[in-house]
Amino acid sequence: SKDQFILEAQKNLTLPVGAMKQELEELRQLTIESEVKSEVNKVGDSVERLASLIDEFVAIAGPKIGEGNLNISPTNIKKLVYIVCDDLGLEIKQKQIKVVLSFSEIEDDNLLKVDKEKIKEVLKNLIDNALKYGRNSGEVRISGERMRHPIEHDKYIYRLAVQDDGLGLTVEELNKLFS
């Protein structure tokens, strides 16, 4: 079955990657030429990317095979953003932030099958961070749009963006963000 395949794939991918990480760590401890060490580090980076992909695969597949407790239901993202902004209204007022919302007027375009409470938590974190790291008396833009999938043109995806006018991250901080 599909569930059994996913569990087997997880196990069969995770174990060798763990062994590769261990071997690479042992190689890094050896005294080797800088050119060879550079190549070992490149392989290490690739193994880390592979491990991340496996983690993403498991995170996506897990709830589908009963490992997660998601309460999936049709949810209007636009309305949920309005609720979150209302919940954060005091902070918005205190920092004198102008919140600009841009969503489709077609309600079905904003309707997604998601776990409403989990998405609300994500939205609250994103918007709260935008308020926290944006300028006082600045602007936060929140937009959502239904659009064609860039590869599978017969499918649609939903792009949600939360933008603030803060300083942002340095290149060094960006590199550390997902490592």
Side-chain angles (χ1 to χ4, degrees):
S1 81
K2 180 178 160 189
D3 292 353
Q4 188 62 35
F5 168 77
I6 291 169
L7 292 172
E8 284 296 314
Q10 175 188 358
K11 181 178 73 174
N12 290 329
L13 292 170
T14 306
L15 292 174
V17 169
M20 285 189 271
K21 283 182 172 181
Q22 187 174 353
E23 292 293 327
L24 282 166
E25 195 53 44
E26 289 175 20
L27 277 173
R28 286 181 173 135
Q29 301 304 316
L30 298 175
T31 306
I32 52 179
E33 296 176 30
S34 63
E35 189 176 306
V36 174
K37 194 166 201 115
S38 174
E39 293 302 315
V40 168
N41 286 334
K42 285 179 187 176
V43 171
D45 291 344
S46 294
V47 169
E48 287 300 325
R49 280 193 302 277
L50 179 60
S52 291
L53 286 171
I54 293 168
D55 289 345
E56 284 181 41
F57 170 74
V58 171
I60 291 168
K64 293 179 182 171
I65 57 173
E67 291 183 5
N69 292 324
L70 296 177
N71 186 12
I72 306 295
S73 63
T75 303
N76 187 310
I77 296 298
K78 177 182 173 182
K79 289 180 181 176
L80 202 55
V81 167
Y82 277 87
I83 290 168
V84 171
C85 287
D86 190 53
D87 291 348
L88 295 170
L90 183 59
E91 187 176 351
I92 291 169
K93 189 174 183 178
Q94 286 174 341
K95 290 193 75 177
Q96 298 176 341
I97 302 287
K98 178 182 177 185
V99 178
V100 179
L101 302 173
S102 175
F103 291 87
S104 172
E105 292 301 318
I106 303 167
E107 291 303 312
D108 282 352
D109 284 355
N110 299 304
L111 202 60
L112 303 176
K113 291 180 183 175
V114 296
D115 184 313
K116 181 178 180 177
E117 292 307 313
K118 288 191 178 4
I119 291 297
K120 184 177 179 184
E121 185 178 330
V122 169
L123 287 169
K124 186 170 184 177
N125 285 336
L126 289 171
I127 297 168
D128 187 51
N129 282 343
L131 296 171
K132 192 180 299 177
Y133 297 110
R135 294 182 301 114
N136 285 342
S137 302
E139 185 174 277
V140 171
R141 293 182 168 275
I142 306 167
S143 62
E145 66 178 321
R146 181 178 184 242
M147 57 190 300
R148 285 215 183 272
H149 191 284
I151 297 169
E152 298 178 53
H153 301 292
D154 60 327
K155 295 183 180 177
Y156 287 89
I157 59 173
Y158 193 84
R159 181 187 352 213
L160 180 73
V162 178
Q163 299 170 303
D164 63 64
D165 55 5
L167 294 174
L169 300 173
T170 65
V171 173
E172 184 177 300
E173 291 169 326
L174 276 173
N175 289 334
K176 290 180 183 178
L177 190 60
F178 294 106
S179 60

